PDB file of all heavy atoms in Angstrom:
ATOM      1  N   ASP A  81       0.838  -1.196   0.000  1.00 98.00           N
ATOM      2  CA  ASP A  81       0.000   0.000   0.000  1.00 98.00           C
ATOM      3  C   ASP A  81       0.877   1.252   0.000  1.00 98.00           C
ATOM      4  O   ASP A  81       1.607   1.511   0.952  1.00 98.00           O
ATOM      5  CB  ASP A  81      -0.897  -0.031   1.239  1.00 98.00           C
ATOM      6  CG  ASP A  81      -1.988   1.023   1.211  1.00 98.00           C
ATOM      7  OD1 ASP A  81      -1.934   1.913   0.338  1.00 98.00           O
ATOM      8  OD2 ASP A  81      -2.887   0.945   2.067  1.00 98.00           O
ATOM      9  N   LEU A  82       0.791   2.028  -1.088  1.00 98.00           N
ATOM     10  CA  LEU A  82       1.557   3.272  -1.208  1.00 98.00           C
ATOM     11  C   LEU A  82       0.676   4.510  -1.027  1.00 98.00           C
ATOM     12  O   LEU A  82       1.145   5.639  -1.213  1.00 98.00           O
ATOM     13  CB  LEU A  82       2.241   3.342  -2.579  1.00 98.00           C
ATOM     14  CG  LEU A  82       3.201   2.214  -2.946  1.00 98.00           C
ATOM     15  CD1 LEU A  82       3.749   2.435  -4.354  1.00 98.00           C
ATOM     16  CD2 LEU A  82       4.333   2.103  -1.940  1.00 98.00           C
ATOM     17  N   THR A  83      -0.574   4.300  -0.648  1.00 98.00           N
ATOM     18  CA  THR A  83      -1.538   5.394  -0.623  1.00 98.00           C
ATOM     19  C   THR A  83      -1.068   6.571   0.221  1.00 98.00           C
ATOM     20  O   THR A  83      -1.220   7.735  -0.171  1.00 98.00           O
ATOM     21  CB  THR A  83      -2.899   4.885  -0.109  1.00 98.00           C
ATOM     22  OG1 THR A  83      -3.279   3.719  -0.845  1.00 98.00           O
ATOM     23  CG2 THR A  83      -3.968   5.961  -0.252  1.00 98.00           C
ATOM     24  N   ASP A  84      -0.503   6.274   1.370  1.00 97.00           N
ATOM     25  CA  ASP A  84      -0.080   7.337   2.280  1.00 97.00           C
ATOM     26  C   ASP A  84       1.415   7.628   2.191  1.00 97.00           C
ATOM     27  O   ASP A  84       1.993   8.251   3.091  1.00 97.00           O
ATOM     28  CB  ASP A  84      -0.459   6.969   3.722  1.00 97.00           C
ATOM     29  CG  ASP A  84      -1.967   6.846   3.900  1.00 97.00           C
ATOM     30  OD1 ASP A  84      -2.697   7.633   3.263  1.00 97.00           O
ATOM     31  OD2 ASP A  84      -2.406   5.947   4.650  1.00 97.00           O
ATOM     32  N   LEU A  85       2.030   7.170   1.089  1.00 97.00           N
ATOM     33  CA  LEU A  85       3.458   7.413   0.862  1.00 97.00           C
ATOM     34  C   LEU A  85       3.633   8.088  -0.497  1.00 97.00           C
ATOM     35  O   LEU A  85       4.135   7.492  -1.448  1.00 97.00           O
ATOM     36  CB  LEU A  85       4.242   6.088   0.914  1.00 97.00           C
ATOM     37  CG  LEU A  85       4.134   5.254   2.191  1.00 97.00           C
ATOM     38  CD1 LEU A  85       4.890   3.945   2.039  1.00 97.00           C
ATOM     39  CD2 LEU A  85       4.653   6.030   3.400  1.00 97.00           C
ATOM     40  N   PRO A  86       3.230   9.337  -0.603  1.00 94.00           N
ATOM     41  CA  PRO A  86       3.230   9.992  -1.919  1.00 94.00           C
ATOM     42  C   PRO A  86       4.601  10.123  -2.558  1.00 94.00           C
ATOM     43  O   PRO A  86       4.715  10.221  -3.780  1.00 94.00           O
ATOM     44  CB  PRO A  86       2.630  11.377  -1.619  1.00 94.00           C
ATOM     45  CG  PRO A  86       2.851  11.580  -0.151  1.00 94.00           C
ATOM     46  CD  PRO A  86       2.737  10.228   0.466  1.00 94.00           C
ATOM     47  N   GLY A  87       5.653  10.101  -1.770  1.00 94.00           N
ATOM     48  CA  GLY A  87       6.992  10.218  -2.338  1.00 94.00           C
ATOM     49  C   GLY A  87       7.571   8.916  -2.835  1.00 94.00           C
ATOM     50  O   GLY A  87       8.674   8.894  -3.402  1.00 94.00           O
ATOM     51  N   SER A  88       6.866   7.835  -2.627  1.00 96.00           N
ATOM     52  CA  SER A  88       7.364   6.515  -3.020  1.00 96.00           C
ATOM     53  C   SER A  88       6.631   6.016  -4.249  1.00 96.00           C
ATOM     54  O   SER A  88       5.469   6.364  -4.482  1.00 96.00           O
ATOM     55  CB  SER A  88       7.186   5.514  -1.868  1.00 96.00           C
ATOM     56  OG  SER A  88       7.938   5.916  -0.733  1.00 96.00           O
ATOM     57  N   GLY A  89       7.311   5.193  -5.023  1.00 97.00           N
ATOM     58  CA  GLY A  89       6.697   4.671  -6.234  1.00 97.00           C
ATOM     59  C   GLY A  89       7.631   3.749  -6.970  1.00 97.00           C
ATOM     60  O   GLY A  89       8.374   2.970  -6.336  1.00 97.00           O
ATOM     61  N   PHE A  90       7.623   3.821  -8.294  1.00 98.00           N
ATOM     62  CA  PHE A  90       8.463   2.951  -9.107  1.00 98.00           C
ATOM     63  C   PHE A  90       9.927   3.063  -8.666  1.00 98.00           C
ATOM     64  O   PHE A  90      10.483   4.155  -8.544  1.00 98.00           O
ATOM     65  CB  PHE A  90       8.335   3.351 -10.580  1.00 98.00           C
ATOM     66  CG  PHE A  90       9.148   2.484 -11.502  1.00 98.00           C
ATOM     67  CD1 PHE A  90       8.666   1.277 -11.958  1.00 98.00           C
ATOM     68  CD2 PHE A  90      10.423   2.878 -11.897  1.00 98.00           C
ATOM     69  CE1 PHE A  90       9.425   0.472 -12.808  1.00 98.00           C
ATOM     70  CE2 PHE A  90      11.190   2.082 -12.737  1.00 98.00           C
ATOM     71  CZ  PHE A  90      10.686   0.872 -13.191  1.00 98.00           C
ATOM     72  N   GLY A  91      10.555   1.914  -8.400  1.00 97.00           N
ATOM     73  CA  GLY A  91      11.955   1.877  -8.008  1.00 97.00           C
ATOM     74  C   GLY A  91      12.213   2.062  -6.534  1.00 97.00           C
ATOM     75  O   GLY A  91      13.371   1.966  -6.092  1.00 97.00           O
ATOM     76  N   SER A  92      11.178   2.326  -5.746  1.00 98.00           N
ATOM     77  CA  SER A  92      11.382   2.515  -4.309  1.00 98.00           C
ATOM     78  C   SER A  92      11.879   1.229  -3.650  1.00 98.00           C
ATOM     79  O   SER A  92      11.505   0.116  -4.046  1.00 98.00           O
ATOM     80  CB  SER A  92      10.082   2.957  -3.630  1.00 98.00           C
ATOM     81  OG  SER A  92       9.790   4.296  -3.918  1.00 98.00           O
ATOM     82  N   GLU A  93      12.712   1.396  -2.632  1.00 98.00           N
ATOM     83  CA  GLU A  93      13.224   0.251  -1.873  1.00 98.00           C
ATOM     84  C   GLU A  93      12.148  -0.279  -0.929  1.00 98.00           C
ATOM     85  O   GLU A  93      11.510   0.488  -0.204  1.00 98.00           O
ATOM     86  CB  GLU A  93      14.448   0.663  -1.054  1.00 98.00           C
ATOM     87  CG  GLU A  93      14.994  -0.452  -0.180  1.00 98.00           C
ATOM     88  CD  GLU A  93      16.091   0.033   0.753  1.00 98.00           C
ATOM     89  OE1 GLU A  93      17.239   0.104   0.293  1.00 98.00           O
ATOM     90  OE2 GLU A  93      15.791   0.363   1.926  1.00 98.00           O
ATOM     91  N   VAL A  94      11.983  -1.597  -0.935  1.00 98.00           N
ATOM     92  CA  VAL A  94      11.043  -2.256  -0.040  1.00 98.00           C
ATOM     93  C   VAL A  94      11.827  -3.216   0.854  1.00 98.00           C
ATOM     94  O   VAL A  94      12.521  -4.108   0.351  1.00 98.00           O
ATOM     95  CB  VAL A  94       9.966  -3.025  -0.823  1.00 98.00           C
ATOM     96  CG1 VAL A  94       8.994  -3.705   0.136  1.00 98.00           C
ATOM     97  CG2 VAL A  94       9.225  -2.085  -1.765  1.00 98.00           C
ATOM     98  N   THR A  95      11.734  -3.025   2.161  1.00 98.00           N
ATOM     99  CA  THR A  95      12.375  -3.925   3.120  1.00 98.00           C
ATOM    100  C   THR A  95      11.319  -4.891   3.614  1.00 98.00           C
ATOM    101  O   THR A  95      10.368  -4.496   4.303  1.00 98.00           O
ATOM    102  CB  THR A  95      12.980  -3.137   4.295  1.00 98.00           C
ATOM    103  OG1 THR A  95      13.908  -2.172   3.789  1.00 98.00           O
ATOM    104  CG2 THR A  95      13.693  -4.072   5.258  1.00 98.00           C
ATOM    105  N   LEU A  96      11.478  -6.164   3.230  1.00 98.00           N
ATOM    106  CA  LEU A  96      10.513  -7.186   3.622  1.00 98.00           C
ATOM    107  C   LEU A  96      10.719  -7.611   5.068  1.00 98.00           C
ATOM    108  O   LEU A  96       9.758  -7.945   5.768  1.00 98.00           O
ATOM    109  CB  LEU A  96      10.615  -8.396   2.692  1.00 98.00           C
ATOM    110  CG  LEU A  96      10.095  -8.258   1.249  1.00 98.00           C
ATOM    111  CD1 LEU A  96       8.712  -7.632   1.203  1.00 98.00           C
ATOM    112  CD2 LEU A  96      11.044  -7.504   0.348  1.00 98.00           C
ATOM    113  N   TRP A  97      11.960  -7.648   5.492  1.00 98.00           N
ATOM    114  CA  TRP A  97      12.309  -7.785   6.913  1.00 98.00           C
ATOM    115  C   TRP A  97      13.748  -7.336   7.088  1.00 98.00           C
ATOM    116  O   TRP A  97      14.525  -7.294   6.135  1.00 98.00           O
ATOM    117  CB  TRP A  97      12.104  -9.205   7.442  1.00 98.00           C
ATOM    118  CG  TRP A  97      12.931 -10.292   6.821  1.00 98.00           C
ATOM    119  CD1 TRP A  97      14.277 -10.485   6.941  1.00 98.00           C
ATOM    120  CD2 TRP A  97      12.454 -11.384   6.015  1.00 98.00           C
ATOM    121  NE1 TRP A  97      14.677 -11.604   6.257  1.00 98.00           N
ATOM    122  CE2 TRP A  97      13.582 -12.186   5.681  1.00 98.00           C
ATOM    123  CE3 TRP A  97      11.188 -11.760   5.577  1.00 98.00           C
ATOM    124  CZ2 TRP A  97      13.466 -13.327   4.913  1.00 98.00           C
ATOM    125  CZ3 TRP A  97      11.079 -12.905   4.799  1.00 98.00           C
ATOM    126  CH2 TRP A  97      12.201 -13.676   4.467  1.00 98.00           C
ATOM    127  N   GLY A  98      14.074  -6.961   8.300  1.00 98.00           N
ATOM    128  CA  GLY A  98      15.439  -6.552   8.604  1.00 98.00           C
ATOM    129  C   GLY A  98      15.602  -5.048   8.618  1.00 98.00           C
ATOM    130  O   GLY A  98      14.739  -4.307   9.110  1.00 98.00           O
ATOM    131  N   GLN A  99      16.695  -4.586   8.066  1.00 97.00           N
ATOM    132  CA  GLN A  99      17.116  -3.195   8.166  1.00 97.00           C
ATOM    133  C   GLN A  99      17.092  -2.533   6.796  1.00 97.00           C
ATOM    134  O   GLN A  99      17.639  -3.069   5.832  1.00 97.00           O
ATOM    135  CB  GLN A  99      18.536  -3.145   8.746  1.00 97.00           C
ATOM    136  CG  GLN A  99      19.148  -1.780   8.857  1.00 97.00           C
ATOM    137  CD  GLN A  99      20.528  -1.858   9.489  1.00 97.00           C
ATOM    138  OE1 GLN A  99      20.676  -2.100  10.678  1.00 97.00           O
ATOM    139  NE2 GLN A  99      21.555  -1.656   8.684  1.00 97.00           N
ATOM    140  N   ALA A 100      16.451  -1.370   6.715  1.00 97.00           N
ATOM    141  CA  ALA A 100      16.484  -0.605   5.475  1.00 97.00           C
ATOM    142  C   ALA A 100      17.899  -0.106   5.227  1.00 97.00           C
ATOM    143  O   ALA A 100      18.732  -0.043   6.136  1.00 97.00           O
ATOM    144  CB  ALA A 100      15.505   0.567   5.552  1.00 97.00           C
ATOM    145  N   SER A 101      18.190   0.253   3.993  1.00 95.00           N
ATOM    146  CA  SER A 101      19.533   0.739   3.675  1.00 95.00           C
ATOM    147  C   SER A 101      19.790   2.088   4.347  1.00 95.00           C
ATOM    148  O   SER A 101      18.862   2.780   4.781  1.00 95.00           O
ATOM    149  CB  SER A 101      19.711   0.854   2.161  1.00 95.00           C
ATOM    150  OG  SER A 101      18.779   1.772   1.626  1.00 95.00           O
ATOM    151  N   GLU A 102      21.050   2.471   4.407  1.00 91.00           N
ATOM    152  CA  GLU A 102      21.441   3.662   5.150  1.00 91.00           C
ATOM    153  C   GLU A 102      20.766   4.925   4.631  1.00 91.00           C
ATOM    154  O   GLU A 102      20.496   5.851   5.397  1.00 91.00           O
ATOM    155  CB  GLU A 102      22.964   3.828   5.109  1.00 91.00           C
ATOM    156  CG  GLU A 102      23.710   2.798   5.938  1.00 91.00           C
ATOM    157  CD  GLU A 102      25.199   3.056   5.962  1.00 91.00           C
ATOM    158  OE1 GLU A 102      25.634   4.051   5.340  1.00 91.00           O
ATOM    159  OE2 GLU A 102      25.920   2.270   6.599  1.00 91.00           O
ATOM    160  N   ARG A 103      20.494   4.998   3.346  1.00 91.00           N
ATOM    161  CA  ARG A 103      19.874   6.215   2.818  1.00 91.00           C
ATOM    162  C   ARG A 103      18.462   6.415   3.337  1.00 91.00           C
ATOM    163  O   ARG A 103      17.878   7.491   3.179  1.00 91.00           O
ATOM    164  CB  ARG A 103      19.868   6.180   1.283  1.00 91.00           C
ATOM    165  CG  ARG A 103      19.014   5.103   0.649  1.00 91.00           C
ATOM    166  CD  ARG A 103      19.118   5.188  -0.877  1.00 91.00           C
ATOM    167  NE  ARG A 103      18.356   4.154  -1.548  1.00 91.00           N
ATOM    168  CZ  ARG A 103      18.798   2.926  -1.794  1.00 91.00           C
ATOM    169  NH1 ARG A 103      20.020   2.577  -1.399  1.00 91.00           N
ATOM    170  NH2 ARG A 103      18.037   2.050  -2.426  1.00 91.00           N
ATOM    171  N   HIS A 104      17.909   5.380   3.983  1.00 91.00           N
ATOM    172  CA  HIS A 104      16.587   5.507   4.592  1.00 91.00           C
ATOM    173  C   HIS A 104      16.664   5.455   6.113  1.00 91.00           C
ATOM    174  O   HIS A 104      15.691   5.097   6.788  1.00 91.00           O
ATOM    175  CB  HIS A 104      15.658   4.416   4.073  1.00 91.00           C
ATOM    176  CG  HIS A 104      15.436   4.479   2.591  1.00 91.00           C
ATOM    177  ND1 HIS A 104      14.923   5.595   1.965  1.00 91.00           N
ATOM    178  CD2 HIS A 104      15.693   3.586   1.603  1.00 91.00           C
ATOM    179  CE1 HIS A 104      14.854   5.386   0.664  1.00 91.00           C
ATOM    180  NE2 HIS A 104      15.322   4.179   0.412  1.00 91.00           N
ATOM    181  N   GLY A 105      17.825   5.783   6.647  1.00 87.00           N
ATOM    182  CA  GLY A 105      17.980   5.905   8.095  1.00 87.00           C
ATOM    183  C   GLY A 105      18.076   4.604   8.847  1.00 87.00           C
ATOM    184  O   GLY A 105      17.905   4.568  10.061  1.00 87.00           O
ATOM    185  N   THR A 106      18.358   3.515   8.128  1.00 82.00           N
ATOM    186  CA  THR A 106      18.471   2.180   8.740  1.00 82.00           C
ATOM    187  C   THR A 106      17.267   1.856   9.622  1.00 82.00           C
ATOM    188  O   THR A 106      17.415   1.337  10.738  1.00 82.00           O
ATOM    189  CB  THR A 106      19.791   2.016   9.524  1.00 82.00           C
ATOM    190  OG1 THR A 106      19.826   2.980  10.592  1.00 82.00           O
ATOM    191  CG2 THR A 106      20.995   2.206   8.620  1.00 82.00           C
ATOM    192  N   ALA A 107      16.068   2.185   9.146  1.00 94.00           N
ATOM    193  CA  ALA A 107      14.846   1.785   9.849  1.00 94.00           C
ATOM    194  C   ALA A 107      14.790   0.267   9.947  1.00 94.00           C
ATOM    195  O   ALA A 107      15.300  -0.450   9.075  1.00 94.00           O
ATOM    196  CB  ALA A 107      13.625   2.315   9.096  1.00 94.00           C
ATOM    197  N   LEU A 108      14.163  -0.246  10.988  1.00 97.00           N
ATOM    198  CA  LEU A 108      14.137  -1.682  11.251  1.00 97.00           C
ATOM    199  C   LEU A 108      12.725  -2.238  11.161  1.00 97.00           C
ATOM    200  O   LEU A 108      11.761  -1.606  11.598  1.00 97.00           O
ATOM    201  CB  LEU A 108      14.694  -1.988  12.638  1.00 97.00           C
ATOM    202  CG  LEU A 108      16.176  -1.701  12.891  1.00 97.00           C
ATOM    203  CD1 LEU A 108      16.514  -1.953  14.356  1.00 97.00           C
ATOM    204  CD2 LEU A 108      17.036  -2.567  11.986  1.00 97.00           C
ATOM    205  N   LEU A 109      12.623  -3.440  10.607  1.00 98.00           N
ATOM    206  CA  LEU A 109      11.398  -4.223  10.627  1.00 98.00           C
ATOM    207  C   LEU A 109      11.774  -5.628  11.083  1.00 98.00           C
ATOM    208  O   LEU A 109      12.474  -6.360  10.371  1.00 98.00           O
ATOM    209  CB  LEU A 109      10.749  -4.274   9.243  1.00 98.00           C
ATOM    210  CG  LEU A 109       9.511  -5.178   9.120  1.00 98.00           C
ATOM    211  CD1 LEU A 109       8.397  -4.716  10.053  1.00 98.00           C
ATOM    212  CD2 LEU A 109       9.024  -5.232   7.667  1.00 98.00           C
ATOM    213  N   SER A 110      11.335  -5.985  12.255  1.00 97.00           N
ATOM    214  CA  SER A 110      11.697  -7.279  12.828  1.00 97.00           C
ATOM    215  C   SER A 110      11.173  -8.432  11.994  1.00 97.00           C
ATOM    216  O   SER A 110       9.998  -8.463  11.609  1.00 97.00           O
ATOM    217  CB  SER A 110      11.127  -7.373  14.253  1.00 97.00           C
ATOM    218  OG  SER A 110      11.138  -8.697  14.723  1.00 97.00           O
ATOM    219  N   ILE A 111      12.032  -9.404  11.726  1.00 98.00           N
ATOM    220  CA  ILE A 111      11.600 -10.609  11.036  1.00 98.00           C
ATOM    221  C   ILE A 111      10.538 -11.344  11.842  1.00 98.00           C
ATOM    222  O   ILE A 111       9.646 -11.989  11.290  1.00 98.00           O
ATOM    223  CB  ILE A 111      12.808 -11.529  10.733  1.00 98.00           C
ATOM    224  CG1 ILE A 111      12.417 -12.617   9.737  1.00 98.00           C
ATOM    225  CG2 ILE A 111      13.387 -12.123  12.013  1.00 98.00           C
ATOM    226  CD1 ILE A 111      13.604 -13.443   9.247  1.00 98.00           C
ATOM    227  N   ASP A 112      10.595 -11.190  13.165  1.00 98.00           N
ATOM    228  CA  ASP A 112       9.611 -11.844  14.023  1.00 98.00           C
ATOM    229  C   ASP A 112       8.219 -11.251  13.816  1.00 98.00           C
ATOM    230  O   ASP A 112       7.218 -11.966  13.869  1.00 98.00           O
ATOM    231  CB  ASP A 112      10.024 -11.698  15.491  1.00 98.00           C
ATOM    232  CG  ASP A 112      11.366 -12.316  15.784  1.00 98.00           C
ATOM    233  OD1 ASP A 112      11.583 -13.466  15.371  1.00 98.00           O
ATOM    234  OD2 ASP A 112      12.206 -11.658  16.417  1.00 98.00           O
ATOM    235  N   GLU A 113       8.145  -9.945  13.593  1.00 98.00           N
ATOM    236  CA  GLU A 113       6.851  -9.305  13.373  1.00 98.00           C
ATOM    237  C   GLU A 113       6.230  -9.787  12.065  1.00 98.00           C
ATOM    238  O   GLU A 113       5.025 -10.055  11.986  1.00 98.00           O
ATOM    239  CB  GLU A 113       7.020  -7.788  13.365  1.00 98.00           C
ATOM    240  CG  GLU A 113       5.710  -7.033  13.328  1.00 98.00           C
ATOM    241  CD  GLU A 113       5.877  -5.525  13.390  1.00 98.00           C
ATOM    242  OE1 GLU A 113       7.029  -5.050  13.531  1.00 98.00           O
ATOM    243  OE2 GLU A 113       4.848  -4.821  13.289  1.00 98.00           O
ATOM    244  N   VAL A 114       7.046  -9.901  11.028  1.00 98.00           N
ATOM    245  CA  VAL A 114       6.556 -10.405   9.748  1.00 98.00           C
ATOM    246  C   VAL A 114       6.092 -11.855   9.901  1.00 98.00           C
ATOM    247  O   VAL A 114       5.010 -12.243   9.439  1.00 98.00           O
ATOM    248  CB  VAL A 114       7.647 -10.297   8.672  1.00 98.00           C
ATOM    249  CG1 VAL A 114       7.172 -10.880   7.345  1.00 98.00           C
ATOM    250  CG2 VAL A 114       8.083  -8.842   8.503  1.00 98.00           C
ATOM    251  N   ALA A 115       6.908 -12.665  10.546  1.00 98.00           N
ATOM    252  CA  ALA A 115       6.557 -14.074  10.734  1.00 98.00           C
ATOM    253  C   ALA A 115       5.279 -14.222  11.552  1.00 98.00           C
ATOM    254  O   ALA A 115       4.413 -15.047  11.234  1.00 98.00           O
ATOM    255  CB  ALA A 115       7.715 -14.802  11.410  1.00 98.00           C
ATOM    256  N   HIS A 116       5.154 -13.430  12.595  1.00 98.00           N
ATOM    257  CA  HIS A 116       3.969 -13.502  13.453  1.00 98.00           C
ATOM    258  C   HIS A 116       2.707 -13.189  12.653  1.00 98.00           C
ATOM    259  O   HIS A 116       1.680 -13.858  12.797  1.00 98.00           O
ATOM    260  CB  HIS A 116       4.127 -12.531  14.620  1.00 98.00           C
ATOM    261  CG  HIS A 116       3.037 -12.609  15.641  1.00 98.00           C
ATOM    262  ND1 HIS A 116       2.882 -13.680  16.485  1.00 98.00           N
ATOM    263  CD2 HIS A 116       2.041 -11.728  15.953  1.00 98.00           C
ATOM    264  CE1 HIS A 116       1.840 -13.477  17.287  1.00 98.00           C
ATOM    265  NE2 HIS A 116       1.309 -12.294  16.975  1.00 98.00           N
ATOM    266  N   ALA A 117       2.779 -12.189  11.791  1.00 98.00           N
ATOM    267  CA  ALA A 117       1.628 -11.837  10.957  1.00 98.00           C
ATOM    268  C   ALA A 117       1.241 -12.989  10.041  1.00 98.00           C
ATOM    269  O   ALA A 117       0.060 -13.178   9.729  1.00 98.00           O
ATOM    270  CB  ALA A 117       1.940 -10.597  10.131  1.00 98.00           C
ATOM    271  N   ALA A 118       2.241 -13.773   9.614  1.00 98.00           N
ATOM    272  CA  ALA A 118       2.002 -14.899   8.705  1.00 98.00           C
ATOM    273  C   ALA A 118       1.710 -16.199   9.445  1.00 98.00           C
ATOM    274  O   ALA A 118       1.567 -17.255   8.810  1.00 98.00           O
ATOM    275  CB  ALA A 118       3.205 -15.086   7.793  1.00 98.00           C
ATOM    276  N   GLY A 119       1.652 -16.150  10.767  1.00 97.00           N
ATOM    277  CA  GLY A 119       1.335 -17.343  11.535  1.00 97.00           C
ATOM    278  C   GLY A 119       2.480 -18.314  11.671  1.00 97.00           C
ATOM    279  O   GLY A 119       2.270 -19.513  11.876  1.00 97.00           O
ATOM    280  N   THR A 120       3.715 -17.809  11.610  1.00 98.00           N
ATOM    281  CA  THR A 120       4.871 -18.686  11.771  1.00 98.00           C
ATOM    282  C   THR A 120       5.906 -17.992  12.655  1.00 98.00           C
ATOM    283  O   THR A 120       5.563 -17.093  13.422  1.00 98.00           O
ATOM    284  CB  THR A 120       5.448 -19.091  10.397  1.00 98.00           C
ATOM    285  OG1 THR A 120       6.493 -20.041  10.588  1.00 98.00           O
ATOM    286  CG2 THR A 120       5.947 -17.902   9.598  1.00 98.00           C
ATOM    287  N   ILE A 121       7.149 -18.419  12.577  1.00 97.00           N
ATOM    288  CA  ILE A 121       8.213 -17.865  13.411  1.00 97.00           C
ATOM    289  C   ILE A 121       9.377 -17.430  12.536  1.00 97.00           C
ATOM    290  O   ILE A 121       9.538 -17.897  11.410  1.00 97.00           O
ATOM    291  CB  ILE A 121       8.686 -18.894  14.465  1.00 97.00           C
ATOM    292  CG1 ILE A 121       9.106 -20.207  13.802  1.00 97.00           C
ATOM    293  CG2 ILE A 121       7.609 -19.131  15.504  1.00 97.00           C
ATOM    294  CD1 ILE A 121       9.660 -21.244  14.764  1.00 97.00           C
ATOM    295  N   GLY A 122      10.188 -16.530  13.085  1.00 97.00           N
ATOM    296  CA  GLY A 122      11.317 -16.002  12.330  1.00 97.00           C
ATOM    297  C   GLY A 122      12.268 -17.075  11.839  1.00 97.00           C
ATOM    298  O   GLY A 122      12.849 -16.946  10.752  1.00 97.00           O
ATOM    299  N   TYR A 123      12.437 -18.146  12.596  1.00 97.00           N
ATOM    300  CA  TYR A 123      13.303 -19.250  12.192  1.00 97.00           C
ATOM    301  C   TYR A 123      12.954 -19.728  10.777  1.00 97.00           C
ATOM    302  O   TYR A 123      13.816 -19.960   9.944  1.00 97.00           O
ATOM    303  CB  TYR A 123      13.126 -20.465  13.109  1.00 97.00           C
ATOM    304  CG  TYR A 123      13.353 -20.331  14.574  1.00 97.00           C
ATOM    305  CD1 TYR A 123      12.557 -19.519  15.368  1.00 97.00           C
ATOM    306  CD2 TYR A 123      14.343 -21.081  15.202  1.00 97.00           C
ATOM    307  CE1 TYR A 123      12.740 -19.442  16.742  1.00 97.00           C
ATOM    308  CE2 TYR A 123      14.527 -21.033  16.573  1.00 97.00           C
ATOM    309  CZ  TYR A 123      13.727 -20.204  17.346  1.00 97.00           C
ATOM    310  OH  TYR A 123      13.911 -20.145  18.699  1.00 97.00           O
ATOM    311  N   GLU A 124      11.644 -19.910  10.554  1.00 97.00           N
ATOM    312  CA  GLU A 124      11.209 -20.475   9.275  1.00 97.00           C
ATOM    313  C   GLU A 124      11.522 -19.532   8.121  1.00 97.00           C
ATOM    314  O   GLU A 124      11.946 -19.967   7.047  1.00 97.00           O
ATOM    315  CB  GLU A 124       9.718 -20.799   9.303  1.00 97.00           C
ATOM    316  CG  GLU A 124       9.245 -21.482   8.031  1.00 97.00           C
ATOM    317  CD  GLU A 124       7.795 -21.919   8.081  1.00 97.00           C
ATOM    318  OE1 GLU A 124       7.052 -21.499   8.988  1.00 97.00           O
ATOM    319  OE2 GLU A 124       7.397 -22.692   7.189  1.00 97.00           O
ATOM    320  N   LEU A 125      11.306 -18.234   8.327  1.00 98.00           N
ATOM    321  CA  LEU A 125      11.581 -17.289   7.256  1.00 98.00           C
ATOM    322  C   LEU A 125      13.062 -17.263   6.909  1.00 98.00           C
ATOM    323  O   LEU A 125      13.434 -17.236   5.733  1.00 98.00           O
ATOM    324  CB  LEU A 125      11.104 -15.883   7.640  1.00 98.00           C
ATOM    325  CG  LEU A 125       9.615 -15.713   7.937  1.00 98.00           C
ATOM    326  CD1 LEU A 125       9.254 -14.230   7.977  1.00 98.00           C
ATOM    327  CD2 LEU A 125       8.741 -16.438   6.935  1.00 98.00           C
TER     328      LEU A 125
END
């Protein structure tokens, strides 16, 4: 969903889990949070 991200679009970096690249401030997305949403655990991912 890019609806509320007007500056993002074609070619934008998407971090599926882990750490965004330095140009985006090294924001973090826990692999555990992604796994939990999918009904599994970080180990499996």
Side-chain angles (χ1 to χ4, degrees):
D81 191 349
L82 302 178
T83 309
D84 297 324
L85 303 176
S88 298
F90 181 84
S92 286
E93 177 187 277
V94 180
T95 303
L96 288 312
W97 62 69
Q99 177 178 288
S101 61
E102 289 184 1
R103 65 180 178 275
H104 299 302
T106 61
L108 294 175
L109 175 61
S110 165
I111 193 172
D112 300 312
E113 188 177 356
V114 177
H116 186 70
T120 185
I121 55 177
Y123 302 64
E124 184 175 13
L125 300 193

